[in-house]
Amino acid sequence: MSALRAILFDIDDTLFSTTEFARHARRNAVEAMIERGLKLDADTVLRELDEVISEFGSNYAHHYEKLLQRLPPEALAGLNPSLVISAGIVSYHDTKFQELKPFADVAPLLADLRAAGMHLGVVTHGWTVKQAEKLVRLRLLRFFDPLAVIISEQVGISKPNPKLYAKALRELDLPASEVLYVGDNPTHDIAPPQSLGMRAAWIKRAAKHDLAGTGIQPDHVVEDFEGLRTVLREVYGIAV
């Protein structure tokens, strides 16, 4: 087995709980809209918002405008829709400023890996500014090689295209056999890097994706970054 010289990470539901954060931030946004006068209960509005996000995607810029278009007219009677939307957006961003934090075991392992001389990077799917902002707000950017932060929109290649991972290998100037990828989505984060000869670890604590029926076999399956630490120490001999 080749020595491991670099580790690349997914962001969402790998470095922090995207799913839990988004759920909380959206509820806060809906409650702020109701405080502004929206005449519906929070659960009803959240169900409609979830449907909007499912249809238009999480990176769509006008979720709340679409949401109000779908609600019954009486829910907005006597209200200025732009003020209702603004209340939701402000509350969402206030939640982001206050609560966007990495999993507790992430920064300690990244710090130890850097101290051990490992190259660290990110391969992530999403809008450039949005994904970069997450790394800054999570206060993790200092751990990663700047040129090895690969964002799909920025390079014009989307997961699960293996070319996205090949771009990271070129930036690191390392062969695939010396690089490990860590992510939570088997289809996007395990099979594509493996197809290039990289090793891949599936981190499953977010419980959003399952291996069942995929035919995908990760090189390692871990619950969290403490489990990853054990693999790196016992399998690869890295002093962490």
Side-chain angles (χ1 to χ4, degrees):
M1 181 182 292
S2 300
L4 199 62
R5 297 177 59 194
I7 305 174
L8 300 170
F9 297 88
D10 175 46
I11 294 178
D12 296 298
D13 283 324
T14 297
L15 299 180
F16 81 109
S17 181
T18 311
T19 301
E20 286 302 315
F21 165 77
R23 184 179 295 118
H24 190 204
R26 289 167 189 163
R27 176 166 285 277
N28 286 351
V30 165
E31 290 176 352
M33 295 167 80
I34 291 170
E35 288 179 10
R36 180 57 60 184
L38 185 64
K39 302 173 184 67
L40 279 174
D41 66 277
D43 288 341
T44 297
V45 181
L46 277 168
R47 283 194 297 272
E48 198 67 43
L49 178 58
D50 286 344
E51 192 172 281
V52 169
I53 293 166
S54 176
E55 291 176 15
F56 289 88
S58 61
N59 287 322
Y60 183 65
H62 303 288
H63 290 139
Y64 296 102
E65 289 92 332
K66 287 287 186 257
L67 170 65
L68 293 198
Q69 290 172 6
R70 298 157 77 121
L71 298 180
E74 56 269 24
L76 287 160
L79 300 176
N80 183 330
S82 65
L83 298 180
V84 176
I85 290 168
S86 296
I89 292 172
V90 168
S91 180
Y92 183 94
H93 286 289
D94 282 350
T95 304
K96 178 168 64 176
F97 299 152
Q98 295 165 10
E99 299 185 13
L100 194 64
K101 295 179 176 63
F103 290 116
D105 54 4
V106 168
L109 179 57
L110 296 181
D112 289 346
L113 287 168
R114 291 294 290 189
M118 295 295 295
H119 295 285
L120 303 180
V122 166
V123 177
T124 182
H125 175 77
W127 287 7
T128 303
V129 172
K130 189 172 181 179
Q131 296 304 94
E133 180 192 7
K134 290 174 185 176
L135 291 177
V136 173
R137 291 198 182 281
L138 291 169
R139 293 179 169 80
L140 298 177
L141 195 56
R142 67 189 186 277
F143 296 118
F144 300 113
D145 297 5
L147 294 180
V149 175
I150 309 299
I151 304 172
S152 62
E153 185 195 38
Q154 187 175 36
V155 299
I157 308 168
S158 179
K159 287 184 178 183
N161 192 331
K163 291 179 181 178
L164 190 65
Y165 299 89
K167 169 73 171 172
L169 294 176
R170 289 194 297 273
E171 294 295 347
L172 290 167
D173 193 25
L174 290 174
S177 60
E178 296 180 359
V179 181
L180 173 72
Y181 189 77
V182 180
D184 72 302
N185 185 325
T187 303
H188 284 185
D189 300 330
I190 305 302
Q194 284 182 326
S195 73
L196 299 175
M198 295 169 60
R199 283 159 281 185
W202 179 46
I203 188 161
K204 62 179 186 174
R205 72 170 136 203
K208 189 175 179 181
H209 304 283
D210 195 358
L211 285 174
T214 66
I216 296 169
Q217 296 184 333
D219 296 279
H220 311 288
V221 176
V222 296
E223 183 67 33
D224 51 27
F225 270 52
E226 284 306 309
L228 180 61
R229 180 188 292 273
T230 299
V231 167
L232 294 172
R233 185 173 58 243
E234 296 183 357
V235 177
Y236 297 100
I238 300 171
V240 291

